[in-house]
Amino acid sequence: MSVVFTLTLVCFSYYFYQVFFTANIETKGKPTYVIVHRGDDWKKALNTIDATGVVVDKLSLHFVAKLMKYPEHVKPGRYELKDGYTNRQLINVLKAGLQSPLKLTFTNVRLRRELADKLSNQIDARPSQIDSLLSSPSYTKSLGFDTTTVLSMFIPNTYELYWNTSANNLMQRMKKEYEKFWTSERDAQREKLHLTRAQVSTLASIVEAEQQQHADERPRIAGVYLNRLKRGMKLQADPTVVYANRDFTIKRVLNVHLLKDSPYNTYKYGGLPPGPINLPSIASIDAVLKPESNNYLYFCAKEDFSGYHAFATNESEHIMNARRYQAALTRAGIK
């Protein structure tokens, strides 16, 4: 009996060592992450991990999870399944809620709801939760904005945060990043232009919409719009008309589009629109802060469809440039 007992003890000890201290995660060098959602029980959490295909022995993982009392300590979050993890290491990470931060990004955003959708796809917050904060006059005021300017708080960049960041905490983080972005140097530059931070972002959003392909031309376009503002001329920016009509399929702005009664229609109303028409990139914001000094008052797309523009100092020259471009559109069959 003693021999049998000894052998059994040795076998059990070996198995115990194997399931606890032998690597059981094999990613083959591929970064692998898993999300444990709020409300998931331990079985659902482990099944989600199993589904990644990186667990060598699923049975042993579940066995160790129960022994280590993971069922009583499930924490939501985004976790990295690191190559070479033992069952013990992985369960310790899950129990302690040692999340792996994610890189939050947001680009190509025009509307508040679009931003809410993009953000909610990356963190544990519903679009409605984010949108309700962005559309709340009292909440946006607490951040120093209103519901039309609050989008300027979101500076397109890459931010590191945790998946279970709440909608409110995300707003507070973006506010801190916004204040960090507006350095004393940037503030000094905008003060020379007699613009508020929100106005800079609004103008930058127009510049961005006008020139999406060639960032090197943005300071020149910014110079044109600043010249028009100084002279009290209407901006007459086509992207604002598209935004006012809320029809982003418009390729060619027509007279019918110009009739839209909206504060964003800069053909109808003078000055800047009440808020940004997209989330301008840092390059576009800096293009407004450091505009090209020029005498141009007009510009339109070049007829060669290069993505660059033809600039003019007077209306008659601009009309000739515009006619060339309109003719090119007609030849190309673009309506």
Side-chain angles (χ1 to χ4, degrees):
M1 287 292 291
S2 60
V3 174
V4 173
F5 176 77
T6 301
L7 287 174
T8 300
L9 183 61
V10 169
C11 289
F12 179 78
S13 299
Y14 178 74
Y15 178 73
F16 184 86
Y17 178 85
Q18 288 287 103
V19 299
F20 270 85
F21 302 106
T22 300
N24 197 33
I25 299 297
E26 190 176 289
T27 66
K28 295 183 171 61
K30 180 182 177 182
T32 305
Y33 301 90
V34 67
I35 290 177
V36 177
H37 290 89
R38 202 176 305 277
D40 284 357
D41 61 18
W42 74 284
K43 287 185 178 179
K44 189 168 184 180
L46 293 187
N47 286 339
T48 302
I49 293 172
D50 293 343
T52 63
V54 301
V55 181
V56 178
D57 183 354
K58 298 176 184 178
L59 186 62
S60 70
L61 176 60
H62 287 242
F63 174 69
V64 170
K66 287 192 74 174
L67 284 180
M68 293 182 66
K69 298 185 178 180
Y70 179 52
E72 292 88 49
H73 301 281
V74 178
K75 292 183 173 65
R78 176 180 181 269
Y79 301 94
E80 182 177 6
L81 305 181
K82 293 185 179 180
D83 197 32
Y85 259 173
T86 64
N87 289 327
R88 179 172 175 273
Q89 286 174 316
L90 177 55
I91 298 303
N92 275 334
V93 165
L94 295 172
K95 283 178 62 179
L98 300 177
Q99 296 185 64
S100 176
L102 56 80
K103 296 188 184 301
L104 180 77
T105 60
F106 41 86
T107 55
N108 301 319
V109 171
R110 288 177 291 232
L111 302 173
R112 203 167 52 213
R113 184 67 191 199
E114 288 179 338
L115 178 60
D117 286 340
K118 288 205 172 189
L119 294 174
S120 69
N121 283 335
Q122 300 175 74
I123 65 170
D124 185 26
R126 294 190 301 275
S128 59
Q129 293 175 319
I130 297 172
D131 191 53
S132 67
L133 295 180
L134 295 175
S135 57
S136 167
S138 59
Y139 187 79
T140 53
K141 185 179 180 180
S142 73
L143 295 172
F145 302 89
D146 58 41
T147 56
T148 58
T149 61
V150 68
L151 261 65
S152 63
M153 183 178 75
F154 294 82
I155 308 295
N157 211 333
T158 301
Y159 302 99
E160 195 171 87
L161 46 73
Y162 291 109
W163 172 79
N164 61 349
T165 300
S166 68
N168 177 58
N169 286 343
L170 174 65
M171 297 300 133
Q172 298 302 323
R173 170 68 183 279
M174 290 298 100
K175 171 65 173 176
K176 287 181 182 177
E177 295 294 343
Y178 174 82
E179 294 298 339
K180 201 182 299 181
F181 171 81
W182 280 101
T183 60
S184 57
E185 181 186 355
R186 284 194 171 101
D187 271 329
Q189 289 166 338
R190 70 162 180 79
E191 285 170 3
K192 287 180 184 177
L193 299 172
H194 305 290
L195 296 174
T196 65
R197 291 176 176 180
Q199 287 174 328
V200 169
S201 293
T202 296
L203 182 52
S205 73
I206 298 173
V207 171
E208 174 113 348
E210 292 280 18
Q211 181 50 277
Q212 299 177 39
Q213 293 178 254
H214 307 292
D216 61 305
E217 195 182 64
R218 291 175 192 167
R220 176 169 292 184
I221 293 174
V224 173
Y225 282 129
L226 288 167
N227 289 341
R228 293 181 73 90
L229 286 172
K230 287 175 188 174
R231 295 193 179 205
M233 299 172 68
K234 291 176 181 174
L235 292 185
Q236 296 185 327
D238 285 0
T240 67
V241 177
V242 173
Y243 186 88
N245 281 269
R246 292 298 195 276
D247 181 359
F248 302 111
T249 65
I250 296 173
K251 300 295 182 186
R252 193 172 183 175
V253 173
L254 305 174
N255 288 332
V256 67
H257 301 130
L258 301 181
L259 298 175
K260 182 69 176 179
D261 189 14
S262 165
Y264 288 91
N265 184 349
T266 57
Y267 277 82
K268 202 172 187 67
Y269 295 97
L272 289 164
I277 60 173
N278 58 52
L279 298 188
S281 64
I282 292 174
S284 291
I285 294 173
D286 286 340
V288 171
L289 294 174
K290 297 179 181 179
E292 178 184 281
S293 179
N294 59 56
N295 297 316
Y296 297 127
L297 294 172
Y298 306 89
F299 66 92
C300 73
K302 281 189 173 182
E303 69 272 16
D304 61 1
F305 300 119
S306 63
Y308 282 102
H309 295 81
F311 294 81
T313 58
N314 57 74
E315 191 172 8
S316 59
E317 185 183 352
H318 172 63
I319 289 173
M320 287 190 292
N321 290 336
R323 283 175 178 168
R324 280 195 289 268
Y325 179 63
Q326 295 293 336
L329 286 176
T330 301
R331 287 194 300 272
I334 300 174
K335 297 182 180 181

